Amino acid sequence: MKTLVICSGGLDSVSLAHITSQKHQLTRLVSFDYGQRHRKELDFARAAAERLGVTFHLIDMRSIGGALSGSALTDDIDVPDGHYAEDTMRITVVPNRNAIMLAIGFGVAAAQGDEAVATAVHGGDHFIYPDCRPGFTRAFETMQRAALDGYADVRLHTPFVEQSKADIVRAGAAHNTPFAETWSCYKGGDIHCGRCGTCVERREAFHLAEVADPTVYADPDYWSAAIAGREAE
């Protein structure tokens, strides 16, 4: 199956790219610059495409991202510390981000003759990101089949949508994903902060998967306190 992967440069999507390259016919990686403060992730996406020997498409969505205001990822708002599944993390929502990216991805796939668009949305995303949930992905694929009816037959591939991030770490490790060459931190500093929701979730996933975490964190121990605090609520 000729498959395009939507790749942010994060652990999930880079793992998906490596898995797809071994299980399907990976054709290209598509990434998006929407003005995110952690746009350094795009360097990791580009590096993944080069490593896997496929085309890299970087879509400039900065003008669109500027209109999707109110998120800590695009505005001058502090990224909160804590567990991913806390209400405070809702400030990291960029409205309709995945829906917009997937629509562009399907357009690229149809134009290039690809048969599937793969995205790494997973169970941990469901709490705060509505366009990562199974109901959305099913409805989106139905919409796209209508949108491309008679022109192209492109499927939506979401292998992690009912899985945890720990499951992704296990699958990525089994397919030799170089986890050190991925970026998760929403704060976009020189190294992972270890305190934002994505850093806590990343560190927790390696722990639960029982896979060594090669990531360097500014605060490597905060994750356990954040999880303990969450469990005590």
Side-chain angles (χ1 to χ4, degrees), residues 45-100:
R46 184 185 298 276
E50 293 175 354
R51 186 168 58 247
L52 295 169
V54 297
T55 301
F56 180 67
H57 298 272
L58 178 58
I59 309 298
D60 188 347
M61 276 180 38
R62 285 175 293 178
S63 61
I64 297 173
L68 304 178
S69 59
S71 172
L73 301 193
T74 55
D75 287 5
D76 189 18
I77 301 171
D78 289 339
V79 175
D81 294 339
H83 195 278
Y84 210 62
E86 294 180 10
D87 283 335
T88 54
M89 295 301 159
R90 294 185 186 277
I91 197 65
T92 65
V93 172
V94 178
N96 234 32
R97 176 180 57 175
N98 274 6
I100 295 168

Side-chain angles (χ1 to χ4, degrees), residues 2 5 9 18 45 49 69 73 76 109 113 124 129 131 154 167 176-177 196 206 208:
K2 296 172 64 178
V5 170
H18 276 262
S69 59
L73 301 193
D76 189 18
Y129 299 126
D131 57 358
V154 182
D167 293 327
N176 301 312
T177 302
C196 71
F206 278 102
L208 294 174

Side-chain angles (χ1 to χ4, degrees), residues 136-209:
F136 164 78
T137 59
R138 289 191 296 268
F140 188 89
E141 181 173 29
T142 298
M143 179 273 290
Q144 279 296 154
R145 291 180 69 79
L148 295 173
D149 184 37
Y151 181 80
D153 183 9
V154 182
R155 302 300 179 95
L156 179 58
H157 185 47
T158 56
F160 306 144
V161 72
E162 301 282 6
Q163 297 183 21
S164 70
K165 198 177 188 80
D167 293 327
I168 297 174
V169 170
R170 294 187 192 97
H175 290 83
N176 301 312
T177 302
F179 295 121
E181 301 303 318
T182 67
W183 184 265
S184 298
C185 183
Y186 277 165
K187 295 184 181 181
D190 292 334
I191 62 175
H192 285 74
C193 74
R195 299 180 64 91
C196 71
T198 50
C199 280
V200 170
E201 185 196 37
R202 179 185 176 110
R203 183 66 186 87
E204 179 187 27
F206 278 102
H207 171 74
L208 294 174

Side-chain angles (χ1 to χ4, degrees), residues 123-136:
D125 293 329
H126 297 173
F127 180 73
I128 55 175
Y129 299 126
D131 57 358
C132 291
R133 297 170 186 161
F136 164 78

Side-chain angles (χ1 to χ4, degrees), residues 3-47:
T3 305
L4 171 162
V5 170
I6 303 292
C7 185
S8 68
L11 184 154
D12 308 330
S13 61
V14 172
S15 293
L16 179 59
H18 276 262
I19 293 167
T20 301
S21 72
Q22 296 175 47
K23 298 181 69 173
H24 301 286
Q25 183 182 347
L26 178 65
T27 58
R28 68 198 76 251
L29 303 186
V30 177
S31 298
F32 299 86
D33 183 349
Y34 56 93
Q36 62 269 47
R37 70 171 67 202
H38 59 300
R39 63 168 55 91
K40 66 182 295 178
E41 65 179 357
L42 299 174
D43 295 334
F44 291 85
R46 184 185 298 276

